[in-house]
Amino acid sequence: MLSNVGKIFFLLLIASTIFVFSKRLIFLIRLLKLGKPEDRTDRFWERLKYTLGEVIPQRCVLKHVMRGDYAGIGHMLMFYGFTLFVISYIFHIIGGFYGNIPALFGTTFNNWFALLLNIAGLVVMAAVIWAVIRRYIIRPARLKPSMDAAIILVLVFGLMALNFAMEGFRFLSGSGDFTEWAFVGVALSNVFASMGLQEKACTLFHVFWWIHIIVVFGFGIYILYSKHLHILASHFNLFYHSTKPKGSTQPIMDMEKAETFGISKITDFSWKHLLDLYACTECGRCTDICPASSSGKSLKPFDLIHNLREHLLASGNEQPGEKEGGKCSAMIGEVVTGDEIWACTNCMACMEVCPVAIEHIDKITGMRQYKVLMEADFAQELQLTYRNMENNSNPWGIGAHMRADWAKELDVKLLSEDSDVEYLYYVGCSGSFDDRGKKTAIAFAKILKAAGISFGILGTEEGCCGDSAMRGGNEYLYQILAQMNIEVMNGYGVKKIITTCPHGYNALKKDYPNFGGNYEVYHHTEILADLITHGKIKLNKSAHGLFSYHDSCFLGRYNGIYDQPRNVLSAIPGMKLVEMERNRDKSFCCGAGGARMWMEEDIGERINDMRTDQAIEVNAEKIAVACPFCLTMIGDGIKDRDMEEKMEALDIAEIVWDAMGLREER
Amino acid sequence: MAKGVWLVAEQRDGAFRKVSFEVAGAARKLADELGEEVCAILLGHDIEGIAGELGKYGVDRVYVADDVAFEQYTTDVYSAAVAKLIKENNPSILLLAASVQGKDLSSRLVGILATGMASDCVDLKIVDGSLVATRPVFAGKCYAEVTILTTPQMASLRPNLFPTVENEKAAEVVKFDPAIDAVELKTKVLEIQKDTSGRVDLTEADIIVSGGRGMKGPENYNVIEELADALGATVGASRAAVDAGWRPQSDQVGQTGKIVSPNLYVACGISGAIQHLAGMSSSKCIVAINKDPDAPILGKADYGIVDDLFKVVPEVTKELKKLLERGE
């Protein structure tokens, strides 16, 4: 307990801390309010459950331990240890006025709490030492040298050390309750005694008491000025996470009336996207896993978030309360460059790996929308693609009347002839027009026929799904394409759809409902797995060569379909399957998502070549894919690496067709 | 009553552009059906000497304005001069080429003359004494026949489609005063930067010889260049060849390169991935040389040679040169 003078001084200290803390907090909240409104208050309990589920068991960081990223363990130790200390700080403050609080709860509590706190202190100190070794000696590539991190590590270590010193002197001075259970404090008091500090112990206890509490308050304030803002913001960010279907995009709903489209300045983002910026822990996992970053593009997801945060704070400082104009408008081009905006393949690896639910892709899509819909400033190749989609409803501009030509000799039903079928096979542009993609479509259609599945196609009534337009920022074109498809499909009363392209799959399943298109959508690998399980198709021809399955981003990370394609392959007799180092949710993109399929890749290395190298590394001879974009990209990679004689990229439908012994000899 | 089929002739550096003769041929045909005269408008500087040449292509009378202001094409003075003459003479039909200059000039004239126009026409005919133009719509999938209800009935003609006519008669050359002093110039040509490669740009080329991955390396492109020289063709490349660094990006034909539609496209060692086909499938005649009989390009080609291009191409070049030497 403090003296009366001490109490007054302590009160002043608390008041000034609260003042500085709240001032900063109000500033940060005011900046959030500059963002556009967005309703994220639905499903309260579900959100709370998710947040607690991530935070309390530290799932947010421990999930990475499975991937060989052990930093999460250190985080967990510090998190639990520090949480305990936060409780002790409350006792500490109250204790300043009323004496030792834990002692008030009885000896048992006092003993246990002292023991726990001692253990926690040692654990946190050990974790800090580990963090220092990791950060400054081992130096993983994903961590950037940062003053913030150094200051925080010193502060945390300092707090633990001060706490122990304070306890040691308290025991030595005989003030407060003594307990043998506080073993570090006891040991230290013995050390101090042997140093002959017995007489000064009471003074030193008070000195350390004050230093300790000042550092605690300073730490609290520093949190709001550093990357450790995540200690506060990440909980809210997790709570307000997106509950939309994973990988769906937010449509522009008032296309007709809106006067501006997309994101051009920081205040165009919704408040949740601004909260993302506060929540970032600067762990760098996103950049580490990003195919664009890995291949030498200027896009680094972490830098994108970090630079946007700096920009937000700077613009907030410069013009408090002003929503428009000024520095804000220079965001695109200065804070985020065009190269960064267009390098993203929408592979979602960053969002999957982010411990605090930051939504990177939506930000990029928003900025692309601005570039395309407001400034018409985008790659020339993409302009052609969009024009082709407008004119012929496919990216290559091949006559729309030829869409069903692939099926001419297959006796596939058209819905216009007979719409009483179980499934609509939505073929998509690649299966309809690309000679390589047609092979997949033909193989799959033949498998369906062999299995006796009732299905039909839309033929020339089918249109481009619009995924590339949407992800390339041309929301207007996407909505036209989507609405036309929906009108046709609803007209036939379509209920179940199968696609052979994960991009169409994702769009039809998750984005079309926004425009009244509600269907059960299946990817062909799901159907194939099902047909095999139920014995509807027989795989009797042995597979030759070493296979490796390449996960499509839009199938895997977007839709969690990892097992079905692997199950299909494993069901083939004689199948030898090898995994590439990056597989499943860690899979490395082929480079074609997010409209990148239609753009030249002239910065850095080719992403598809890098992926092909990863397959070469495991000596794969057949790369099994489940996406026409991947098929093209990996196929090109094999050619680029001069491996055509030894390797081949095949769609799973083609592999199954082969295994059924159905592939005709040429 | 409007009378006469008129056209705007295009010249560059004192020489007519081929398309002007095609427009003259089309005008002649229409005029003969209507029993009217063909008049051409020629603007330029130091071009009086060439005006008479138009007579050989079916023009009866050439209105010439020779002025330093016409040395370089600018929308302001050209449209003012043409519009003045048209208003004075009131022709029934006015034709232009759907060239870069023609497209610019015709759209301005339509405004000044307050009349209608069919652009980028592929065929013209006279029905009941009135012009009916055929023009492609929906990216060339359909053709629309349109007529213009106001005079002059204007049309711009797609190059390389209309035949020229031979004519013995010389054209009468009439100088006219364009009265352009009062024209307020909104633009001024400062400098003209010409492509110095000497080759015709891919998108304008009549004949293109392209090489792909089958070329095996940049050192082998001389095989293709020799064939291109013999044919007077421009050299193109597939994305694979450009990616490999064998050819510059500017040579790339395809979805992410240039979209071309020459009269003759020779694809050597190109498999014909869809990304390439998207850039050249509208070529009039496609010849593919590829040793893989399953290459998709052979499915799109009018003529396919399944063999090693390093055997075939030099042989073709040799035979072509022989033919050319004999002047056949």
Side-chain angles (χ1 to χ4, degrees), chain A residues 249-252 261-263 341-342 362-376 469-475:
Chain A
T249 51
Q250 183 66 46
I252 300 176
F261 303 101
I263 308 283
I341 294 171
W342 290 107
D362 300 79
K363 294 185 183 59
I364 286 173
T365 307
M367 290 187 275
R368 286 184 177 182
Q369 284 169 349
Y370 172 76
K371 290 298 256 185
V372 173
L373 299 174
M374 297 301 292
E375 294 203 321
M470 170 176 70
R471 298 186 176 273
N474 198 340
E475 175 83 7

PDB file of all heavy atoms in Angstrom, chain A residues 249-252 261-263 341-342 362-376 469-475:
ATOM      1  N   THR A 249     -17.375 -12.879 -53.789  1.00  0.00           N
ATOM      2  CA  THR A 249     -17.027 -11.464 -53.790  1.00  0.00           C
ATOM      3  C   THR A 249     -18.273 -10.646 -53.510  1.00  0.00           C
ATOM      4  O   THR A 249     -19.395 -11.088 -53.735  1.00  0.00           O
ATOM      5  CB  THR A 249     -16.447 -11.015 -55.144  1.00  0.00           C
ATOM      6  OG1 THR A 249     -17.332 -11.447 -56.155  1.00  0.00           O
ATOM      7  CG2 THR A 249     -15.075 -11.589 -55.386  1.00  0.00           C
ATOM      8  N   GLN A 250     -18.040  -9.451 -53.013  1.00  0.00           N
ATOM      9  CA  GLN A 250     -19.145  -8.558 -52.698  1.00  0.00           C
ATOM     10  C   GLN A 250     -19.572  -7.864 -53.991  1.00  0.00           C
ATOM     11  O   GLN A 250     -18.808  -7.120 -54.570  1.00  0.00           O
ATOM     12  CB  GLN A 250     -18.663  -7.526 -51.674  1.00  0.00           C
ATOM     13  CG  GLN A 250     -19.725  -6.561 -51.197  1.00  0.00           C
ATOM     14  CD  GLN A 250     -20.810  -7.267 -50.404  1.00  0.00           C
ATOM     15  OE1 GLN A 250     -20.535  -8.081 -49.544  1.00  0.00           O
ATOM     16  NE2 GLN A 250     -22.050  -6.957 -50.710  1.00  0.00           N
ATOM     17  N   PRO A 251     -20.764  -8.145 -54.489  1.00  0.00           N
ATOM     18  CA  PRO A 251     -21.159  -7.517 -55.751  1.00  0.00           C
ATOM     19  C   PRO A 251     -21.474  -6.032 -55.561  1.00  0.00           C
ATOM     20  O   PRO A 251     -21.829  -5.613 -54.458  1.00  0.00           O
ATOM     21  CB  PRO A 251     -22.410  -8.288 -56.149  1.00  0.00           C
ATOM     22  CG  PRO A 251     -22.984  -8.773 -54.869  1.00  0.00           C
ATOM     23  CD  PRO A 251     -21.839  -8.981 -53.926  1.00  0.00           C
ATOM     24  N   ILE A 252     -21.317  -5.280 -56.631  1.00  0.00           N
ATOM     25  CA  ILE A 252     -21.771  -3.892 -56.604  1.00  0.00           C
ATOM     26  C   ILE A 252     -23.263  -3.960 -56.900  1.00  0.00           C
ATOM     27  O   ILE A 252     -23.671  -4.345 -57.998  1.00  0.00           O
ATOM     28  CB  ILE A 252     -21.051  -3.052 -57.684  1.00  0.00           C
ATOM     29  CG1 ILE A 252     -19.543  -3.071 -57.453  1.00  0.00           C
ATOM     30  CG2 ILE A 252     -21.574  -1.612 -57.681  1.00  0.00           C
ATOM     31  CD1 ILE A 252     -18.735  -2.342 -58.521  1.00  0.00           C
ATOM     32  N   PHE A 261     -17.254   3.730 -58.872  1.00  0.00           N
ATOM     33  CA  PHE A 261     -17.117   2.297 -58.648  1.00  0.00           C
ATOM     34  C   PHE A 261     -15.740   1.995 -58.094  1.00  0.00           C
ATOM     35  O   PHE A 261     -14.773   2.644 -58.472  1.00  0.00           O
ATOM     36  CB  PHE A 261     -17.308   1.531 -59.957  1.00  0.00           C
ATOM     37  CG  PHE A 261     -18.618   1.788 -60.628  1.00  0.00           C
ATOM     38  CD1 PHE A 261     -18.695   2.655 -61.705  1.00  0.00           C
ATOM     39  CD2 PHE A 261     -19.770   1.163 -60.175  1.00  0.00           C
ATOM     40  CE1 PHE A 261     -19.902   2.893 -62.325  1.00  0.00           C
ATOM     41  CE2 PHE A 261     -20.984   1.400 -60.796  1.00  0.00           C
ATOM     42  CZ  PHE A 261     -21.052   2.269 -61.869  1.00  0.00           C
ATOM     43  N   GLY A 262     -15.694   1.007 -57.236  1.00  0.00           N
ATOM     44  CA  GLY A 262     -14.410   0.516 -56.771  1.00  0.00           C
ATOM     45  C   GLY A 262     -13.777   1.400 -55.716  1.00  0.00           C
ATOM     46  O   GLY A 262     -14.385   2.314 -55.173  1.00  0.00           O
ATOM     47  N   ILE A 263     -12.508   1.097 -55.454  1.00  0.00           N
ATOM     48  CA  ILE A 263     -11.767   1.738 -54.375  1.00  0.00           C
ATOM     49  C   ILE A 263     -10.659   2.597 -54.973  1.00  0.00           C
ATOM     50  O   ILE A 263      -9.776   2.075 -55.648  1.00  0.00           O
ATOM     51  CB  ILE A 263     -11.105   0.660 -53.485  1.00  0.00           C
ATOM     52  CG1 ILE A 263     -12.107  -0.384 -53.029  1.00  0.00           C
ATOM     53  CG2 ILE A 263     -10.342   1.305 -52.337  1.00  0.00           C
ATOM     54  CD1 ILE A 263     -12.998   0.030 -51.925  1.00  0.00           C
ATOM     55  N   ILE A 341      -1.455  -4.077 -57.855  1.00  0.00           N
ATOM     56  CA  ILE A 341      -2.877  -4.386 -57.985  1.00  0.00           C
ATOM     57  C   ILE A 341      -3.106  -5.516 -58.987  1.00  0.00           C
ATOM     58  O   ILE A 341      -3.941  -6.374 -58.781  1.00  0.00           O
ATOM     59  CB  ILE A 341      -3.661  -3.121 -58.412  1.00  0.00           C
ATOM     60  CG1 ILE A 341      -3.603  -2.068 -57.304  1.00  0.00           C
ATOM     61  CG2 ILE A 341      -5.103  -3.463 -58.755  1.00  0.00           C
ATOM     62  CD1 ILE A 341      -4.155  -0.721 -57.714  1.00  0.00           C
ATOM     63  N   TRP A 342      -2.340  -5.501 -60.057  1.00  0.00           N
ATOM     64  CA  TRP A 342      -2.598  -6.470 -61.124  1.00  0.00           C
ATOM     65  C   TRP A 342      -1.808  -7.766 -60.994  1.00  0.00           C
ATOM     66  O   TRP A 342      -1.996  -8.684 -61.778  1.00  0.00           O
ATOM     67  CB  TRP A 342      -2.345  -5.824 -62.495  1.00  0.00           C
ATOM     68  CG  TRP A 342      -3.386  -4.808 -62.791  1.00  0.00           C
ATOM     69  CD1 TRP A 342      -3.230  -3.449 -62.786  1.00  0.00           C
ATOM     70  CD2 TRP A 342      -4.762  -5.041 -63.101  1.00  0.00           C
ATOM     71  NE1 TRP A 342      -4.420  -2.831 -63.063  1.00  0.00           N
ATOM     72  CE2 TRP A 342      -5.380  -3.782 -63.265  1.00  0.00           C
ATOM     73  CE3 TRP A 342      -5.534  -6.205 -63.245  1.00  0.00           C
ATOM     74  CZ2 TRP A 342      -6.737  -3.652 -63.564  1.00  0.00           C
ATOM     75  CZ3 TRP A 342      -6.877  -6.062 -63.547  1.00  0.00           C
ATOM     76  CH2 TRP A 342      -7.458  -4.801 -63.697  1.00  0.00           C
ATOM     77  N   ASP A 362     -10.338  -8.940 -51.468  1.00  0.00           N
ATOM     78  CA  ASP A 362     -11.426  -7.979 -51.676  1.00  0.00           C
ATOM     79  C   ASP A 362     -10.882  -6.569 -51.870  1.00  0.00           C
ATOM     80  O   ASP A 362     -11.438  -5.776 -52.622  1.00  0.00           O
ATOM     81  CB  ASP A 362     -12.384  -8.003 -50.492  1.00  0.00           C
ATOM     82  CG  ASP A 362     -13.006  -9.374 -50.305  1.00  0.00           C
ATOM     83  OD1 ASP A 362     -12.312 -10.247 -49.749  1.00  0.00           O
ATOM     84  OD2 ASP A 362     -14.146  -9.586 -50.746  1.00  0.00           O
ATOM     85  N   LYS A 363      -9.800  -6.258 -51.175  1.00  0.00           N
ATOM     86  CA  LYS A 363      -9.205  -4.927 -51.332  1.00  0.00           C
ATOM     87  C   LYS A 363      -8.665  -4.772 -52.747  1.00  0.00           C
ATOM     88  O   LYS A 363      -8.874  -3.748 -53.400  1.00  0.00           O
ATOM     89  CB  LYS A 363      -8.076  -4.727 -50.324  1.00  0.00           C
ATOM     90  CG  LYS A 363      -8.547  -4.691 -48.885  1.00  0.00           C
ATOM     91  CD  LYS A 363      -7.386  -4.369 -47.942  1.00  0.00           C
ATOM     92  CE  LYS A 363      -7.826  -4.402 -46.494  1.00  0.00           C
ATOM     93  NZ  LYS A 363      -8.371  -5.689 -46.044  1.00  0.00           N
ATOM     94  N   ILE A 364      -7.982  -5.811 -53.203  1.00  0.00           N
ATOM     95  CA  ILE A 364      -7.383  -5.745 -54.545  1.00  0.00           C
ATOM     96  C   ILE A 364      -8.475  -5.684 -55.608  1.00  0.00           C
ATOM     97  O   ILE A 364      -8.393  -4.893 -56.547  1.00  0.00           O
ATOM     98  CB  ILE A 364      -6.431  -6.936 -54.743  1.00  0.00           C
ATOM     99  CG1 ILE A 364      -5.172  -6.682 -53.918  1.00  0.00           C
ATOM    100  CG2 ILE A 364      -6.101  -7.140 -56.217  1.00  0.00           C
ATOM    101  CD1 ILE A 364      -4.203  -7.820 -53.850  1.00  0.00           C
ATOM    102  N   THR A 365      -9.504  -6.510 -55.441  1.00  0.00           N
ATOM    103  CA  THR A 365     -10.606  -6.483 -56.408  1.00  0.00           C
ATOM    104  C   THR A 365     -11.239  -5.091 -56.454  1.00  0.00           C
ATOM    105  O   THR A 365     -11.538  -4.571 -57.525  1.00  0.00           O
ATOM    106  CB  THR A 365     -11.676  -7.536 -56.044  1.00  0.00           C
ATOM    107  OG1 THR A 365     -11.027  -8.789 -55.890  1.00  0.00           O
ATOM    108  CG2 THR A 365     -12.738  -7.645 -57.117  1.00  0.00           C
ATOM    109  N   GLY A 366     -11.417  -4.485 -55.286  1.00  0.00           N
ATOM    110  CA  GLY A 366     -11.997  -3.145 -55.226  1.00  0.00           C
ATOM    111  C   GLY A 366     -11.159  -2.130 -55.994  1.00  0.00           C
ATOM    112  O   GLY A 366     -11.686  -1.296 -56.734  1.00  0.00           O
ATOM    113  N   MET A 367      -9.848  -2.228 -55.846  1.00  0.00           N
ATOM    114  CA  MET A 367      -8.974  -1.283 -56.545  1.00  0.00           C
ATOM    115  C   MET A 367      -8.953  -1.564 -58.050  1.00  0.00           C
ATOM    116  O   MET A 367      -8.880  -0.656 -58.866  1.00  0.00           O
ATOM    117  CB  MET A 367      -7.564  -1.337 -55.943  1.00  0.00           C
ATOM    118  CG  MET A 367      -7.534  -0.746 -54.535  1.00  0.00           C
ATOM    119  SD  MET A 367      -5.872  -0.584 -53.832  1.00  0.00           S
ATOM    120  CE  MET A 367      -5.624  -2.210 -53.155  1.00  0.00           C
ATOM    121  N   ARG A 368      -9.053  -2.853 -58.401  1.00  0.00           N
ATOM    122  CA  ARG A 368      -9.145  -3.186 -59.825  1.00  0.00           C
ATOM    123  C   ARG A 368     -10.431  -2.620 -60.429  1.00  0.00           C
ATOM    124  O   ARG A 368     -10.436  -2.132 -61.552  1.00  0.00           O
ATOM    125  CB  ARG A 368      -9.127  -4.713 -60.016  1.00  0.00           C
ATOM    126  CG  ARG A 368      -7.763  -5.312 -59.813  1.00  0.00           C
ATOM    127  CD  ARG A 368      -7.789  -6.805 -60.098  1.00  0.00           C
ATOM    128  NE  ARG A 368      -6.460  -7.375 -59.971  1.00  0.00           N
ATOM    129  CZ  ARG A 368      -6.165  -8.645 -60.194  1.00  0.00           C
ATOM    130  NH1 ARG A 368      -7.120  -9.478 -60.557  1.00  0.00           N
ATOM    131  NH2 ARG A 368      -4.935  -9.094 -60.065  1.00  0.00           N
ATOM    132  N   GLN A 369     -11.521  -2.716 -59.658  1.00  0.00           N
ATOM    133  CA  GLN A 369     -12.792  -2.175 -60.158  1.00  0.00           C
ATOM    134  C   GLN A 369     -12.640  -0.701 -60.481  1.00  0.00           C
ATOM    135  O   GLN A 369     -13.134  -0.213 -61.494  1.00  0.00           O
ATOM    136  CB  GLN A 369     -13.899  -2.378 -59.121  1.00  0.00           C
ATOM    137  CG  GLN A 369     -14.403  -3.804 -59.075  1.00  0.00           C
ATOM    138  CD  GLN A 369     -15.301  -4.077 -57.885  1.00  0.00           C
ATOM    139  OE1 GLN A 369     -15.404  -3.266 -56.965  1.00  0.00           O
ATOM    140  NE2 GLN A 369     -15.953  -5.224 -57.893  1.00  0.00           N
ATOM    141  N   TYR A 370     -11.932   0.006 -59.607  1.00  0.00           N
ATOM    142  CA  TYR A 370     -11.725   1.432 -59.873  1.00  0.00           C
ATOM    143  C   TYR A 370     -10.919   1.627 -61.157  1.00  0.00           C
ATOM    144  O   TYR A 370     -11.271   2.432 -62.009  1.00  0.00           O
ATOM    145  CB  TYR A 370     -11.009   2.084 -58.686  1.00  0.00           C
ATOM    146  CG  TYR A 370     -10.600   3.502 -58.956  1.00  0.00           C
ATOM    147  CD1 TYR A 370     -11.545   4.526 -58.948  1.00  0.00           C
ATOM    148  CD2 TYR A 370      -9.285   3.822 -59.267  1.00  0.00           C
ATOM    149  CE1 TYR A 370     -11.185   5.824 -59.225  1.00  0.00           C
ATOM    150  CE2 TYR A 370      -8.914   5.120 -59.544  1.00  0.00           C
ATOM    151  CZ  TYR A 370      -9.866   6.123 -59.520  1.00  0.00           C
ATOM    152  OH  TYR A 370      -9.511   7.415 -59.818  1.00  0.00           O
ATOM    153  N   LYS A 371      -9.845   0.851 -61.290  1.00  0.00           N
ATOM    154  CA  LYS A 371      -8.981   0.998 -62.465  1.00  0.00           C
ATOM    155  C   LYS A 371      -9.760   0.711 -63.759  1.00  0.00           C
ATOM    156  O   LYS A 371      -9.559   1.370 -64.769  1.00  0.00           O
ATOM    157  CB  LYS A 371      -7.789   0.036 -62.384  1.00  0.00           C
ATOM    158  CG  LYS A 371      -6.775   0.387 -61.330  1.00  0.00           C
ATOM    159  CD  LYS A 371      -6.141   1.725 -61.580  1.00  0.00           C
ATOM    160  CE  LYS A 371      -4.744   1.632 -62.129  1.00  0.00           C
ATOM    161  NZ  LYS A 371      -4.112   2.951 -62.253  1.00  0.00           N
ATOM    162  N   VAL A 372     -10.614  -0.287 -63.704  1.00  0.00           N
ATOM    163  CA  VAL A 372     -11.311  -0.715 -64.921  1.00  0.00           C
ATOM    164  C   VAL A 372     -12.553   0.139 -65.186  1.00  0.00           C
ATOM    165  O   VAL A 372     -12.740   0.656 -66.286  1.00  0.00           O
ATOM    166  CB  VAL A 372     -11.709  -2.208 -64.818  1.00  0.00           C
ATOM    167  CG1 VAL A 372     -12.580  -2.620 -65.997  1.00  0.00           C
ATOM    168  CG2 VAL A 372     -10.463  -3.074 -64.761  1.00  0.00           C
ATOM    169  N   LEU A 373     -13.379   0.299 -64.155  1.00  0.00           N
ATOM    170  CA  LEU A 373     -14.686   0.927 -64.374  1.00  0.00           C
ATOM    171  C   LEU A 373     -14.625   2.450 -64.361  1.00  0.00           C
ATOM    172  O   LEU A 373     -15.443   3.110 -64.995  1.00  0.00           O
ATOM    173  CB  LEU A 373     -15.695   0.435 -63.335  1.00  0.00           C
ATOM    174  CG  LEU A 373     -15.956  -1.075 -63.345  1.00  0.00           C
ATOM    175  CD1 LEU A 373     -16.839  -1.469 -62.187  1.00  0.00           C
ATOM    176  CD2 LEU A 373     -16.593  -1.505 -64.663  1.00  0.00           C
ATOM    177  N   MET A 374     -13.655   3.013 -63.636  1.00  0.00           N
ATOM    178  CA  MET A 374     -13.582   4.471 -63.560  1.00  0.00           C
ATOM    179  C   MET A 374     -12.518   5.047 -64.491  1.00  0.00           C
ATOM    180  O   MET A 374     -12.732   6.052 -65.141  1.00  0.00           O
ATOM    181  CB  MET A 374     -13.280   4.920 -62.126  1.00  0.00           C
ATOM    182  CG  MET A 374     -14.341   4.564 -61.121  1.00  0.00           C
ATOM    183  SD  MET A 374     -15.967   5.243 -61.492  1.00  0.00           S
ATOM    184  CE  MET A 374     -15.654   6.994 -61.236  1.00  0.00           C
ATOM    185  N   GLU A 375     -11.352   4.408 -64.513  1.00  0.00           N
ATOM    186  CA  GLU A 375     -10.246   5.000 -65.272  1.00  0.00           C
ATOM    187  C   GLU A 375      -9.975   4.300 -66.590  1.00  0.00           C
ATOM    188  O   GLU A 375      -9.208   4.805 -67.401  1.00  0.00           O
ATOM    189  CB  GLU A 375      -8.974   4.982 -64.416  1.00  0.00           C
ATOM    190  CG  GLU A 375      -9.073   5.892 -63.192  1.00  0.00           C
ATOM    191  CD  GLU A 375      -7.708   6.310 -62.686  1.00  0.00           C
ATOM    192  OE1 GLU A 375      -6.816   5.458 -62.708  1.00  0.00           O
ATOM    193  OE2 GLU A 375      -7.570   7.471 -62.275  1.00  0.00           O
ATOM    194  N   ALA A 376     -10.586   3.133 -66.799  1.00  0.00           N
ATOM    195  CA  ALA A 376     -10.312   2.336 -67.989  1.00  0.00           C
ATOM    196  C   ALA A 376      -8.815   2.202 -68.203  1.00  0.00           C
ATOM    197  O   ALA A 376      -8.314   2.274 -69.313  1.00  0.00           O
ATOM    198  CB  ALA A 376     -10.992   2.926 -69.228  1.00  0.00           C
ATOM    199  N   ALA A 469     -13.855 -11.718 -65.578  1.00  0.00           N
ATOM    200  CA  ALA A 469     -14.284 -10.315 -65.651  1.00  0.00           C
ATOM    201  C   ALA A 469     -14.431  -9.753 -64.241  1.00  0.00           C
ATOM    202  O   ALA A 469     -13.944  -8.665 -63.929  1.00  0.00           O
ATOM    203  CB  ALA A 469     -15.605 -10.210 -66.407  1.00  0.00           C
ATOM    204  N   MET A 470     -15.062 -10.521 -63.377  1.00  0.00           N
ATOM    205  CA  MET A 470     -15.302 -10.062 -62.008  1.00  0.00           C
ATOM    206  C   MET A 470     -13.986  -9.855 -61.276  1.00  0.00           C
ATOM    207  O   MET A 470     -13.763  -8.812 -60.663  1.00  0.00           O
ATOM    208  CB  MET A 470     -16.154 -11.105 -61.293  1.00  0.00           C
ATOM    209  CG  MET A 470     -16.300 -10.900 -59.817  1.00  0.00           C
ATOM    210  SD  MET A 470     -17.423 -12.129 -59.121  1.00  0.00           S
ATOM    211  CE  MET A 470     -16.478 -13.633 -59.262  1.00  0.00           C
ATOM    212  N   ARG A 471     -13.098 -10.824 -61.362  1.00  0.00           N
ATOM    213  CA  ARG A 471     -11.848 -10.741 -60.625  1.00  0.00           C
ATOM    214  C   ARG A 471     -10.870  -9.788 -61.291  1.00  0.00           C
ATOM    215  O   ARG A 471      -9.916  -9.328 -60.667  1.00  0.00           O
ATOM    216  CB  ARG A 471     -11.251 -12.131 -60.440  1.00  0.00           C
ATOM    217  CG  ARG A 471     -12.195 -12.965 -59.627  1.00  0.00           C
ATOM    218  CD  ARG A 471     -11.728 -14.301 -59.216  1.00  0.00           C
ATOM    219  NE  ARG A 471     -12.764 -14.886 -58.370  1.00  0.00           N
ATOM    220  CZ  ARG A 471     -12.846 -14.699 -57.070  1.00  0.00           C
ATOM    221  NH1 ARG A 471     -11.934 -13.979 -56.450  1.00  0.00           N
ATOM    222  NH2 ARG A 471     -13.832 -15.224 -56.381  1.00  0.00           N
ATOM    223  N   GLY A 472     -11.112  -9.484 -62.547  1.00  0.00           N
ATOM    224  CA  GLY A 472     -10.292  -8.499 -63.235  1.00  0.00           C
ATOM    225  C   GLY A 472     -10.861  -7.095 -63.075  1.00  0.00           C
ATOM    226  O   GLY A 472     -10.412  -6.169 -63.734  1.00  0.00           O
ATOM    227  N   GLY A 473     -11.864  -6.945 -62.235  1.00  0.00           N
ATOM    228  CA  GLY A 473     -12.391  -5.617 -61.936  1.00  0.00           C
ATOM    229  C   GLY A 473     -13.523  -5.163 -62.833  1.00  0.00           C
ATOM    230  O   GLY A 473     -14.080  -4.096 -62.629  1.00  0.00           O
ATOM    231  N   ASN A 474     -13.873  -5.963 -63.854  1.00  0.00           N
ATOM    232  CA  ASN A 474     -14.952  -5.539 -64.741  1.00  0.00           C
ATOM    233  C   ASN A 474     -16.287  -6.093 -64.241  1.00  0.00           C
ATOM    234  O   ASN A 474     -16.912  -6.952 -64.864  1.00  0.00           O
ATOM    235  CB  ASN A 474     -14.680  -5.984 -66.178  1.00  0.00           C
ATOM    236  CG  ASN A 474     -15.516  -5.216 -67.175  1.00  0.00           C
ATOM    237  OD1 ASN A 474     -16.538  -4.634 -66.815  1.00  0.00           O
ATOM    238  ND2 ASN A 474     -15.093  -5.212 -68.417  1.00  0.00           N
ATOM    239  N   GLU A 475     -16.704  -5.579 -63.109  1.00  0.00           N
ATOM    240  CA  GLU A 475     -17.927  -6.035 -62.452  1.00  0.00           C
ATOM    241  C   GLU A 475     -19.148  -5.882 -63.360  1.00  0.00           C
ATOM    242  O   GLU A 475     -20.053  -6.708 -63.365  1.00  0.00           O
ATOM    243  CB  GLU A 475     -18.123  -5.243 -61.153  1.00  0.00           C
ATOM    244  CG  GLU A 475     -19.410  -5.522 -60.410  1.00  0.00           C
ATOM    245  CD  GLU A 475     -19.345  -6.753 -59.529  1.00  0.00           C
ATOM    246  OE1 GLU A 475     -18.249  -7.325 -59.377  1.00  0.00           O
ATOM    247  OE2 GLU A 475     -20.399  -7.130 -59.005  1.00  0.00           O
TER     248      GLU A 475
END
